[in-house]
């Protein structure tokens, strides 16, 4: 198989089969918290994409050029959190300056990207699965695009729920969790689609 | 020794990474600095600072930002009252709208002397839980449950439980309205502080049953209605209701009430009304 096809398949597997929310169950907090409106969901997805892509890039260098030579690889969790926290700060400053309305809409969830387990999950998985630099960044970028896809789909459904008649005990989060479960089952259909490739 | 060196080495390495990122962040902070309107700080300092959420915004910071943007009214901070409304109007350069001071009134006198318990409740100590259990543990299913959801939620500590009924300290109450939202029985009402004549009952049951349920229940006899010179008190759904806009606070309805459920809060201040027994047993 040519390397280009391999990379393409890897990208698709990141978005669909290894979707961070539906098959790894990482990043569920913003998935439920910021999926009320499609607009803010897109904003959150893009912010997460940005942070995840850059975090994959930086943690690769931090791990292989700082932690490995100093034989401090056991510090990877705390070092990665440091990288992610700094990146989130930069993203926050950038958004505050250039897109104040998006900054306001994301609210508390923006600083909470710091503790978004999907971001830390990507960086740790890059190391444990032994991805090289290209694959790490692709994993970060397309994994986050999978997150974007999931959160936008969820927001679309939840916008429609606003006008739907729902039994009182199911209103709000319960019905959202039911929907998240159903969507997860739907995404199960993609599993093994790229088996043996990625 | 070796271990200590290792630990110090790890700390130094991590510290180094931290300093590096800190430096980058510092540069980014300068580059992306946003000028903050200094009025936001001034407004933030002038509001109550209780973060009670009565203004409808997510805390005092959000409210301050909304005021400066011109979205929120300068008199939006109820706990701050007219003092902060005046200060905010000064900061924003608009004329201050007068804020009528409000106070929470608990419209129930169903204390342990007046209402018999129907069963012993031993569940979660919350009015919401107890009140939804077959009409609540008290004989009256309209009155105060007495487990203090409002006491827990009051951001200013103005509510206390006295003999099984919530009592608002009107000197401490800021009129934020948090308790109104939390009471499952809806017996707490925000009223202008000078609206001192209040019907302290929400019992909608018909007279005979209401009287059996509580010694101070409104039985809907309409004596107050006939006595009122301005027709501001009307019995609706079996319970008397005062229209605060037309009520002159004359108090003519108070002595005629056979159940002693209309109270004048001016006179009420000195006496221990809630521990007092109603004079005649009706």
């Amino acid at each position: 198989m040519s390397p280009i096809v391999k990379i393409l398949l890897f990208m698709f597997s990141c978005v669909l089969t290894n979707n961070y929310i539906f098959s790894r169950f990482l990043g569920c907090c913003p998935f439920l918290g910021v999926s009320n409106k499609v607009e803010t969901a897109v904003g959150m997805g893009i912010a997460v994409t940005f942070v995840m892509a850059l975090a994959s890039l930086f943690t690769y260098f931090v791990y292989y050029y700082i932690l490995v030579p100093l034989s401090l690889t056991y510090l990877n969790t705390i070092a990665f959190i440091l990288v992610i926290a700094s990146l989130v700060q930069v993203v926050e400053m950038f958004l505050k300056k250039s897109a104040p309305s998006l900054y306001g809409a994301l609210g508390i969830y923006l600083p909470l990207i710091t503790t978004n387990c999907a971001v830390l999950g990507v960086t740790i998985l890059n190391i444990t699965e032994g991805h090289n630099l290209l694959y790490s960044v692709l994993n970060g970028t397309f994994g986050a695009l999978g997150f974007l896809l999931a959160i936008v789909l969820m927001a679309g459904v939840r916008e429609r729920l606003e006008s739907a008649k729902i039994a009182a005990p199911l209103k709000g989060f319960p019905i959202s969790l039911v929907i998240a479960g159903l969507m997860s089952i739907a995404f199960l259909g993609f599993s093994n689609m790229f088996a043996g490739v990625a | 020794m070796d271990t200590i060196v290792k630990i110090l080495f790890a700390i130094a390495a991590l510290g180094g990474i931290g300093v590096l990122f800190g430096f980058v962040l510092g540069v980014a902070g300068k580059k992306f600095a946003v000028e903050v309107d200094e009025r936001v700080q001034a407004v933030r300092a002038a509001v109550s600072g209780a973060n009670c959420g009565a203004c409808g915004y997510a805390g005092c910071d959000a409210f301050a930002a909304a005021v400066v943007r011109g979205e929120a009214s300068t008199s939006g901070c109820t706990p701050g009252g007219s003092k902060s409304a005046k200060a905010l109007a000064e900061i924003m350069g608009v004329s201050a709208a007068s804020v009528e001071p409000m106070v929470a009134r608990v419209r129930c006198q169903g204390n342990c002397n007046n209402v018999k318990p129907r069963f012993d409740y031993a569940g979660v100590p919350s009015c919401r839980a107890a009140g939804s259990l077959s009409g609540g543990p008290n004989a009256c299913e309209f009155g105060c449950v007495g487990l203090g959801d409002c006491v827990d939620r009051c951001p200013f500590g103005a509510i206390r439980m006295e003999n099984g009924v919530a009592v608002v300290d009107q000197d401490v109450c800021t009129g934020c309205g948090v308790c109104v939202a939390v009471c499952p029985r809806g017996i707490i009402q925000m009223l202008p502080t000078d609206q001192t004549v209040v019907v302290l009952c929400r019992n909608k049951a018909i007279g005979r049953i209401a009287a059996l349920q509580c010694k101070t229940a409104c039985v809907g006899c309409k004596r107050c209605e006939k006595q009122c010179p301005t027709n501001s008190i009307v019995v609706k759904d079996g319970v008397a209701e005062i229209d605060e806009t037309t009520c002159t606070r004359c108090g003519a309805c108070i002595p005629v009430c056979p159940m002693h459920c209309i109270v004048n809060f001016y006179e009420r201040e000195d006496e221990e009304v809630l521990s007092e027994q109603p004079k005649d047993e009706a």
Side-chain angles (χ1 to χ4, degrees):
Chain A
M1 200 182 299
S2 77
I4 291 173
V5 175
K6 214 172 169 184
I7 286 171
L8 276 175
L9 285 174
F10 180 74
M11 289 173 181
F12 276 110
S13 75
C14 285
V15 177
L16 296 175
T17 54
N18 291 330
N19 190 293
Y20 276 91
I21 287 174
F22 292 133
S23 49
R24 296 195 207 263
F25 308 111
L26 294 172
C28 288
C29 165
F31 174 65
L32 291 167
V34 203
S35 57
N36 286 323
K37 283 196 204 117
V38 171
E39 203 180 53
T40 48
V42 171
M44 184 70 184
I46 290 170
V48 169
T49 309
F50 186 72
V51 172
M52 247 154 112
L54 283 182
S56 308
L57 181 72
F58 282 114
T59 52
Y60 183 86
F61 288 119
V62 166
Y63 188 82
Y64 287 105
Y65 294 98
I66 297 177
L67 295 183
V68 171
L70 300 179
S71 57
L72 290 172
T73 49
Y74 63 91
L75 284 178
N76 64 356
T77 310
I78 188 165
F80 290 178
I81 287 284
L82 208 60
V83 174
I84 294 164
S86 314
L87 277 171
V88 170
Q89 288 293 315
V90 173
V91 171
E92 205 177 336
M93 287 175 199
F94 178 74
L95 280 183
K96 205 171 176 180
K97 177 92 177 172
S98 57
S101 59
L102 182 62
Y103 176 80
L106 292 177
I108 184 70
Y109 291 101
L110 190 56
L112 278 180
I113 298 178
T114 312
T115 52
N116 183 342
C117 47
V119 181
L120 184 65
V122 163
T123 57
I124 300 270
L125 280 172
N126 281 340
I127 303 303
T128 51
E129 292 184 2
H131 290 318
N132 63 24
L133 181 60
L134 176 67
Y135 274 72
S136 294
V137 176
L138 285 178
N139 191 17
T141 316
F142 285 88
L145 286 178
F147 175 87
L148 177 75
L149 176 75
I151 196 170
V152 171
L153 287 177
M154 185 66 174
V157 174
R158 283 182 75 176
E159 273 192 356
R160 264 159 228 217
L161 283 182
E162 294 277 307
S163 56
K165 270 189 191 162
I166 300 159
L170 282 175
K171 255 185 197 143
F173 274 109
I175 192 82
S176 307
L177 287 169
V178 170
I179 289 162
L182 291 175
M183 285 167 86
S184 178
I185 294 172
F187 267 68
L188 202 64
F190 291 117
S191 64
N192 280 342
M193 199 166 140
F194 309 107
V197 184
Chain B
M1 202 60 211
D2 208 30
T3 335
I4 293 170
V5 170
K6 252 185 180 168
I7 293 171
L8 287 178
F9 182 59
I11 292 171
L14 210 57
I17 299 173
V19 168
L20 184 74
F21 287 142
F23 181 73
V24 174
L25 276 182
V27 172
K30 275 267 181 316
K31 203 167 163 159
F32 293 122
V34 180
E35 284 164 30
V36 179
D37 197 329
E38 60 188 20
R39 289 179 301 174
V40 175
Q41 300 293 330
V43 170
R44 179 68 184 78
V47 298
S48 75
N51 277 319
C52 64
C55 52
Y57 290 90
C60 296
D61 287 323
F63 174 69
V67 167
V68 173
R69 281 199 306 272
E71 284 171 15
S73 153
T74 50
S75 55
C77 182
T78 28
S82 51
K83 205 175 117 224
S84 80
K86 216 171 134 200
L88 261 55
E90 219 159 83
I91 296 163
M92 297 299 296
V94 294
S95 59
S98 66
V99 187
E100 194 167 22
M102 302 288 264
V103 70
R105 299 287 193 207
V106 180
R107 292 177 297 172
C108 180
Q109 298 188 100
N111 58 26
C112 301
N113 304 329
N114 297 337
V115 174
K116 293 256 156 4
R118 283 198 299 136
F119 56 85
D120 281 337
Y121 177 74
V124 188
S126 143
C127 302
R128 275 179 189 261
S132 58
L133 194 67
S134 79
N138 292 330
C140 173
E141 72 263 36
F142 300 95
C144 182
V145 184
L147 292 170
D149 282 10
C150 50
V151 178
D152 296 341
R153 287 292 297 278
C154 180
F156 304 96
I159 311 181
R160 63 185 187 279
M161 275 295 156
E162 249 178 40
N163 201 9
V165 169
V167 178
V168 176
D169 184 340
Q170 58 176 352
D171 297 327
V172 182
C173 177
T174 60
C176 70
V178 170
C179 51
V180 176
V182 81
C183 178
R185 292 288 165 85
I187 55 167
I188 309 180
Q189 189 187 19
M190 300 309 304
L191 286 171
T193 310
D194 69 340
Q195 171 61 48
T196 50
V197 181
V198 185
V199 180
L200 292 187
C201 183
R202 299 296 302 148
N203 194 318
K204 291 183 178 134
I206 57 165
R208 201 170 56 83
I209 294 172
L212 281 174
Q213 285 175 338
C214 175
K215 289 178 189 168
T216 55
C218 174
V219 292
C221 65
K222 303 198 175 193
R223 281 189 213 180
C224 48
E225 215 179 286
K226 283 169 197 140
Q227 207 61 231
C228 182
T230 55
N231 294 329
S232 339
I233 187 160
V234 176
V235 175
K236 218 171 99 189
D237 292 338
V239 61
E241 189 90 57
I242 295 176
D243 182 354
E244 77 214 36
T245 52
T246 53
C247 173
T248 58
R249 291 77 161 142
C250 69
C253 49
I254 298 169
V256 297
C257 180
M259 305 299 286
H260 305 284
C261 65
I262 309 177
V263 163
N264 189 333
F265 275 87
Y266 272 137
E267 292 158 9
R268 203 181 190 216
E269 275 191 5
D270 313 321
E271 23 176 335
E272 291 261 320
V273 173
L274 281 160
S275 51
E276 163 199 80
Q277 284 271 4
K279 270 142 214 142
D280 61 336
E281 313 266 303

